[in-house]
Amino acid sequence: MKIVAQIAKYIILLTLLITPFLVCGYNEQSPFELIKLVIASMGTLLAGVLFLISLVKEDKITIRWNSGLTFLTPVLLITALSYYFSNNRFDSFWGNINIPSDSLLFTMICYLLCFLVTQLVREESDLKKFNFVLIGASFFLGGYGVIQHFGGDWVDWWGYRQMHLNAYGTIGQAVGFASILGTLLPISVAAYLGTKNKGLRIVLLAVVFVVIMGIMYSGSRMPTVVSLGFSILIPLVYAIKNRTKTELKKAGLLLLVILISQAAYYAEPNRNALAQKFKPQVVSTGFKERIQVWNDAFKIWQKYPYLGTGPEHFALELKLVNTPEFNTNQNWGLYWHKAHNHLIHFLATVGIFGLLAHLVFAGFVGFSALRIIFKKQNEDGDWQKLGYLIGYSFLFFANLTAFNFILTQLYSFLFPVLYAISTWKFKDIQPRVPRFLNILNIALISIMFVLFGHEIYQYWNADRYFSLSRRALEGDKDIGKAIEHINRAVAIKETDCRFYLRKSSLITSVIKYQARINPSMNLEPALMELDAYTMFGVNCDPKNPESWFYRARLFSDLYEVKIEKSIERAEKGYIEGAKFSPANPIFPYNLGLLYWVAGRWVAFINRMNDAIALKPDYFLAYQQLYDFYYREKNQQEVDNLTARISTMKFVSPDSLRDLLNLIQFVREKGDMKTLNGLVPVYNKWSEFHSALNVK
């Protein structure tokens, strides 16, 4: 292979090696996943261009195909069709900024990477290079988790600070960290069973131990169970099929290392995260939430049965079908980007055709694995082939209660393709492809590189300016600099509503400042500009309730500083947003706050009661009603509120904090009668959640 193709191959290897460890401090929205999307995409596209150049320069390099690509192609095509008919093509193409996996863009990138790997792996030594990179990445990532556990460098994400509970690596979430290690673990296990080099076996046993400890320290249940299950299954199958003394000893040593890892974890005196998470009450609470999401996901599928609502358009559609029952779980306010079951998620987002494509792909993997397991006489390379297939199988089962991240989606495509490549006889001569087809391929993928490469960079750069704008405002209090940065973001990505809404927020800050220093100033032009920008933001995605809420909240802020003309816009924003998230108590609650400021007391009371009807333990609304009735000296209504709180059937942990705030508010008022009625309620539910050990 000529030098250009060699460079392309090493760019892919380097991309696979460094992507797990990437974190970007410039991106405060998603410091973990978006940078992985950018680097994985750019590395793949650059390798694609170099490979195409090598096609023109070197006639002996020809296009190859394999069964892995064959079964991946329907997945890509149906994802593209679902995108085409989606209600929101922006989200369907890019994915959610926090977790952009399974979007059309990254599905195409994963497919292209697999295609390139198919072309660039020309010798068995190339497969060994890929194994070396994957095993090395798993060792260093697992080692980072172990270091974190014992108080080293760590990442603060979503408020988790207890290092004895979770290790996050550079993934951002415990389940993502464990899932990446879990899918890589079978590669090391298979390499250990397949090698005859004793020294290498010792090294691989050390890798297996470190990776398992990293998974355990993550405190993530499903990845831990599935990875241990497969780690035990593989050596047992190996021992059954190879009953010589040497091979039994090899399998026994592997099982011993797994046993030692369990003993090391459970013997540690620190608080045991897995033991807490496997408590029946905790498991039951988690599945209650998931079952509610799954039921709502089926409602989405019933609306879009064939091609779904569009790749990664799940969260907004979920808001449309949520019922008030959803508000009874402890994470009712969480933004569910994924269904936490990849099969149900595919059913809702890419429809029955998309789900069938994924199941056929999984069937190809399962059939291939069973064929190796039940083979009468295994060859030397069979265990490494099985390692690829088990790596995919781990994700298939672990994601029954979780979801894909950037790296896990990439691995779920790559491993079956590496298996298909490993079945080749590398010395066989591949059929040549006519030169004009090679040139056509160069043209097509070069266009894709230019378009996608430019778009990916633009998306990344716009988001960087977005973060700089927020830092300028919140950190430096420099409105002018913040507006300068957000203007650049808007200029780069005019189709992203977040940037318009961010600029609207800055304009609101300017209007409030001007209203304070010069009350007689004509603010109508600024209000018109604010109205235009917020509507730009809303119109980017008119079914997004958060966009309507953002617009309404900005105008509410202006009304609170006596800018009269803003009340109608704020009121309309809350009402429109509620249409697209009818079960969310935030909309009637904030509408009630608006009516409070306007002095519309009957409307205020009605909206607060509407919020409580949607979420019975919504203590923010109770506090507003209590404040009103206490001011009005209406003791009967105050007593009624206390009675309603005392008879609640459930109080979530998040709501419990709001109840404590209500108690402190009542104490400040000196209302001992109400205080004595509320404190027992708080104690009751505080003890309940402490017993469950729910944070």
Side-chain angles (χ1 to χ4, degrees):
M1 188 181 297
K2 291 290 186 179
I3 186 65
V4 176
Q6 290 280 12
I7 293 173
K9 178 176 66 180
Y10 282 106
I11 286 176
I12 289 180
L13 288 168
L14 183 63
T15 300
L16 292 174
L17 180 62
I18 68 172
T19 302
F21 305 98
L22 294 171
V23 178
C24 183
Y26 282 105
N27 186 330
E28 295 160 347
Q29 307 302 305
S30 177
F32 306 96
E33 288 290 283
L34 187 56
I35 185 65
K36 291 178 172 61
L37 169 68
V38 171
I39 297 303
S41 301
M42 298 302 287
T44 300
L45 291 169
L46 178 59
V49 170
L50 292 175
F51 172 70
L52 291 171
I53 293 172
S54 72
L55 283 179
V56 174
K57 298 294 184 180
E58 176 56 55
D59 290 341
K60 292 181 180 178
I61 298 178
T62 54
I63 301 297
R64 289 182 169 187
W65 198 256
N66 61 48
S67 53
L69 288 174
T70 298
F71 285 98
L72 270 177
T73 300
V75 172
L76 175 63
L77 292 178
I78 293 174
T79 302
L81 279 174
S82 178
Y83 155 80
Y84 182 79
F85 291 103
S86 171
N87 293 325
N88 187 323
R89 290 189 181 178
F90 184 86
D91 280 356
S92 292
F93 182 79
W94 290 104
N96 180 272
I97 189 171
N98 288 322
I99 307 173
S101 56
D102 294 315
S103 62
L104 175 61
L105 168 65
F106 198 62
T107 300
M108 295 171 70
I109 291 297
C110 291
Y111 185 89
L112 176 59
L113 184 139
C114 292
F115 176 81
L116 292 173
V117 170
T118 301
Q119 314 313 315
L120 296 171
V121 174
R122 295 282 161 167
E123 302 171 357
E124 290 186 36
S125 61
D126 291 334
L127 271 178
K128 293 179 180 178
K129 292 184 179 73
F130 277 89
N131 291 338
F132 177 79
V133 164
L134 295 170
I135 292 170
S138 69
F139 175 74
F140 287 111
L141 194 61
Y144 183 49
V146 173
I147 291 171
Q148 284 183 310
H149 178 75
F150 290 104
D153 187 21
W154 59 284
V155 175
D156 177 23
W157 184 247
W158 285 1
Y160 295 140
R161 293 180 178 274
Q162 298 89 347
M163 287 315 300
H164 57 275
L165 286 178
N166 291 292
Y168 304 101
T170 61
I171 309 305
Q173 292 190 36
V175 65
F177 181 74
S179 295
I180 292 170
L181 289 178
T183 193
L184 291 171
L185 180 59
I187 308 298
S188 298
V189 171
Y192 166 80
L193 294 173
T195 185
K196 297 178 180 179
N197 186 315
K198 291 183 179 180
L200 182 57
R201 286 207 296 266
I202 294 173
V203 172
L204 289 169
L205 282 175
V207 172
V208 169
F209 177 80
V210 169
V211 172
I212 291 178
M213 295 307 296
I215 295 171
M216 301 289 288
Y217 286 147
S218 76
S220 189
R221 288 175 301 212
M222 195 67 166
T224 299
V225 171
V226 177
S227 63
L228 288 177
F230 278 125
S231 297
I232 294 171
L233 176 65
I234 296 175
L236 286 178
V237 171
Y238 184 86
I240 292 171
K241 301 202 69 176
N242 301 275
R243 299 187 180 182
T244 65
K245 183 178 179 180
T246 302
E247 305 306 321
L248 288 173
K249 181 180 177 181
K250 185 192 294 186
L253 281 174
L254 179 57
L255 291 171
L256 179 62
V257 167
I258 296 171
L259 180 63
I260 292 172
S261 69
Q262 300 307 293
Y265 178 79
Y266 286 104
E268 190 177 333
N270 286 341
R271 183 181 178 189
N272 188 308
L274 284 174
Q276 301 296 331
K277 290 187 176 182
F278 277 117
K279 283 185 175 180
Q281 302 98 319
V282 179
V283 174
S284 175
T285 300
F287 269 97
K288 176 189 173 185
E289 296 177 357
R290 282 169 169 77
I291 289 171
Q292 288 176 324
V293 174
W294 296 341
N295 286 334
D296 288 342
F298 279 112
K299 295 176 187 175
I300 295 174
W301 171 64
Q302 289 170 348
K303 291 172 64 177
Y304 310 98
Y306 302 113
L307 293 172
T309 184
E312 297 318 290
H313 196 231
F314 180 79
L316 294 181
E317 286 293 336
L318 186 68
K319 296 286 186 183
L320 290 172
V321 299
N322 275 156
T323 60
E325 287 75 20
F326 189 78
N327 298 330
T328 61
N329 68 56
Q330 70 181 64
N331 289 316
W332 71 274
L334 187 65
Y335 205 65
W336 292 78
H337 302 299
K338 311 279 186 177
H340 286 65
N341 177 303
H342 64 138
L343 300 181
I344 296 175
H345 185 79
F346 290 141
L347 185 65
T349 56
V350 290
I352 189 65
F353 292 140
L355 175 62
L356 287 175
H358 282 279
L359 288 176
V360 169
F361 184 58
F364 155 70
V365 172
F367 175 77
S368 301
L370 291 174
R371 190 167 58 180
I372 293 174
I373 291 172
F374 290 104
K375 195 174 181 180
K376 289 185 178 181
Q377 185 64 42
N378 288 114
E379 301 172 0
D380 289 341
D382 282 350
W383 297 104
Q384 194 61 63
K385 296 173 188 175
L386 187 62
Y388 297 134
L389 299 172
I390 297 297
Y392 171 90
S393 301
F394 163 84
L395 288 174
F396 184 87
F397 288 103
N399 282 350
L400 291 177
T401 60
F403 46 85
N404 265 333
F405 290 79
I406 286 294
L407 280 168
T408 55
Q409 185 187 1
L410 190 153
Y411 293 150
S412 70
F413 279 41
L414 177 63
F415 289 171
V417 168
L418 287 176
Y419 156 76
I421 293 172
S422 67
T423 63
W424 286 350
K425 303 296 183 183
F426 285 95
K427 294 182 180 180
D428 291 352
I429 298 175
Q430 299 295 316
R432 290 197 50 187
V433 175
R435 186 178 181 84
F436 80 90
L437 286 181
N438 284 343
I439 296 174
L440 179 61
N441 284 326
I442 291 176
L444 292 176
I445 300 186
S446 296
I447 291 171
M448 186 172 72
F449 173 78
V450 172
L451 294 178
F452 283 3
H454 176 72
E455 281 295 306
I456 292 166
Y457 172 76
Q458 293 285 75
Y459 188 50
W460 168 252
N461 203 28
D463 202 70
R464 185 173 67 87
Y465 281 118
F466 180 92
S467 294
L468 290 173
S469 170
R470 187 167 69 179
R471 290 181 185 185
L473 183 64
E474 297 175 3
D476 302 331
K477 309 299 181 184
D478 188 340
I479 294 177
K481 199 69 174 177
I483 290 177
E484 179 184 337
H485 288 313
I486 200 63
N487 281 339
R488 292 188 178 185
V490 170
I492 293 171
K493 289 303 296 179
E494 296 180 350
T495 56
D496 193 331
C497 61
R498 292 177 307 124
F499 303 142
Y500 287 108
L501 295 175
R502 177 62 178 169
K503 184 167 183 178
S504 301
S505 176
L506 297 174
I507 295 172
T508 302
S509 299
V510 173
I511 293 174
K512 290 167 70 175
Y513 174 75
Q514 291 172 336
R516 282 196 301 269
I517 63 173
N518 187 4
S520 62
M521 181 179 180
N522 180 17
L523 297 174
E524 186 61 28
L527 283 173
M528 295 292 290
E529 183 184 22
L530 177 62
D531 187 53
Y533 270 104
T534 53
M535 284 310 299
F536 274 137
V538 167
N539 289 332
C540 287
D541 189 4
K543 288 188 177 182
N544 187 342
E546 293 190 350
S547 298
W548 283 107
F549 180 84
Y550 201 96
R551 170 181 162 86
R553 194 72 193 93
L554 293 178
F555 282 107
S556 294
D557 289 346
L558 294 180
Y559 186 69
E560 290 173 9
V561 294
K562 310 303 181 185
I563 299 177
E564 298 291 337
K565 294 183 179 181
S566 60
I567 186 171
E568 294 85 1
R569 296 181 176 97
E571 184 179 29
K572 181 181 178 182
Y574 289 132
I575 292 172
E576 289 296 320
K579 292 179 181 178
F580 303 110
S581 187
N584 195 333
I586 289 176
F587 288 98
Y589 171 75
N590 279 275
L591 192 55
L593 292 180
L594 183 66
Y595 292 149
W596 169 285
V597 176
R600 295 163 59 178
W601 307 118
V602 174
F604 159 76
I605 293 170
N606 289 338
R607 296 296 79 76
M608 290 300 167
N609 282 316
D610 288 344
I612 292 171
L614 292 173
K615 182 172 173 57
D617 62 343
Y618 200 58
F619 292 109
L620 293 174
Y622 280 106
Q623 182 168 330
Q624 295 299 325
L625 287 173
Y626 170 80
D627 190 20
F628 174 75
Y629 290 133
Y630 186 82
R631 289 169 185 249
E632 295 294 311
K633 296 182 172 54
N634 190 336
Q635 189 60 44
Q636 182 179 352
E637 290 296 343
V638 170
D639 292 342
N640 288 339
L641 289 177
T642 306
R644 290 164 70 181
I645 293 172
S646 300
T647 56
M648 283 183 179
K649 296 181 179 180
F650 180 75
V651 176
S652 68
D654 289 340
S655 296
L656 196 62
R657 290 190 287 270
D658 293 331
L659 175 56
L660 181 60
N661 291 334
L662 173 58
I663 290 172
Q664 292 170 341
F665 184 76
V666 172
R667 181 181 289 114
E668 291 171 1
K669 298 289 186 182
D671 185 356
M672 299 308 297
K673 180 182 178 182
T674 304
L675 184 66
N676 291 334
L678 295 179
V679 169
V681 178
Y682 176 81
N683 290 337
K684 170 187 173 181
W685 291 106
S686 180
E687 292 172 3
F688 174 81
H689 290 299
S690 295
L692 287 181
N693 191 41
V694 178
K695 294 181 294 181

